[in-house]
Amino acid sequence: HPDSMLQLLSQGELDFVAMGDLRNADLADLSRRPLFHMSSNLLMAATHPLARASNLSIADLVDSIFVGVWRHDLTERTVLSAFARHGLAAPSMIDCDNFLVTRGLVLDEGCLVIANRLFFERELANGSIVERVIPDLTYDIAYAMFHRKETVLGRATVALMDQLRQAAVDRFSEYITLT
């Protein structure tokens, strides 16, 4: 969970973390090394009744249950504002900060999630989860590596950070925008 990683980073337990750039967190004491931008889209189990439709609208999702990957995050704000803009009641939402539970809720219970391919890469590849782009429910996340400003990073740490950036580029080049 991002909050746990940031706490460990601030306590000096971690040299750096790679994660989405949290807009709602105070990151003033951290230095940021940009990685890439990636869109988050609507994901659902391939067995979900709406999975067969290639063109979905917000109105199609009224009776759906959304699960949030992190508490009070961009996903929740995106879903709530999209439904409000269309004059629709807010959908049911499950607040979950455990990714494994979120995966289970999507695959086994028919919940919907807004997330990016990084989290569901295996399921997207094997066809058990499908992705749908609904402009009102799509948002872009900037990913970065963070470290404490006062910390001098060793050569090995910097080399590892460079390798992680290159691995992300190599693996997800068709889905990311470099920063």
Side-chain angles (χ1 to χ4, degrees), residues 1 16-17 27 30 32 46 50 66 90 109 124 128 153 157 176:
H1 191 275
F16 75 95
V17 297
L27 304 175
L30 300 178
R32 160 185 295 113
L50 296 174
F66 285 79
E109 303 300 326
L124 285 161
S128 60
L153 298 175
T157 300
I176 64 175

Side-chain angles (χ1 to χ4, degrees), residues 18 33-38 118 121 143-145 160-179:
R33 289 178 181 231
L35 283 170
F36 55 84
H37 289 266
M38 182 179 255
L118 294 172
E121 179 185 16
Y143 285 84
M145 291 178 281
L160 178 58
M161 293 170 87
D162 290 342
Q163 285 182 342
L164 285 173
R165 185 173 200 281
Q166 189 58 51
V169 169
D170 292 346
R171 189 165 185 170
F172 298 107
S173 61
E174 67 183 283
Y175 305 110
I176 64 175
T177 304
L178 294 177
T179 54

Side-chain angles (χ1 to χ4, degrees), residues 90-112:
S92 298
M93 296 185 78
I94 298 171
D95 190 20
C96 182
D97 63 359
N98 183 305
F99 180 70
L100 294 176
V101 173
T102 298
R103 179 182 280 136
L105 288 169
V106 171
L107 288 170
D108 300 330
E109 303 300 326
C111 292
L112 306 178

Side-chain angles (χ1 to χ4, degrees), residues 13-153:
E13 296 294 320
L14 298 174
D15 290 330
F16 75 95
V17 297
M19 62 184 210
D21 196 347
L22 303 174
R23 298 176 193 170
N24 57 343
D26 179 17
L27 304 175
D29 61 335
L30 300 178
S31 288
R32 160 185 295 113
R33 289 178 181 231
L35 283 170
F36 55 84
H37 289 266
M38 182 179 255
S39 292
S40 291
N41 292 307
L42 181 69
L43 302 172
M44 67 186 79
T47 57
H48 192 284
L50 296 174
R52 291 187 186 112
S54 57
N55 293 320
L56 293 171
S57 70
I58 299 294
D60 296 325
L61 308 175
V62 168
D63 296 325
S64 298
I65 300 172
F66 285 79
V67 59
V69 178
W70 297 306
R71 294 184 179 145
H72 310 293
D73 73 347
L74 184 55
T75 300
E76 180 180 40
R77 291 190 309 269
T78 299
V79 170
L80 294 178
S81 65
F83 277 76
R85 273 194 310 277
H86 289 271
L88 301 170
S92 298
M93 296 185 78
I94 298 171
D95 190 20
C96 182
D97 63 359
N98 183 305
F99 180 70
L100 294 176
V101 173
T102 298
R103 179 182 280 136
L105 288 169
V106 171
L107 288 170
D108 300 330
E109 303 300 326
C111 292
L112 306 178
V113 66
I114 300 173
N116 64 49
R117 300 180 138 288
L118 294 172
F119 296 110
F120 291 96
E121 179 185 16
R122 184 178 68 229
E123 292 84 359
L124 285 161
N126 70 25
S128 60
I129 286 185
V130 297
E131 179 179 39
R132 296 293 180 258
V133 177
I134 300 176
D136 287 333
L137 294 179
T138 296
Y139 57 83
D140 193 56
I141 293 286
Y143 285 84
M145 291 178 281
F146 299 90
H147 63 87
R148 292 179 314 284
K149 283 184 179 176
E150 73 275 2
T151 301
V152 176
L153 298 175

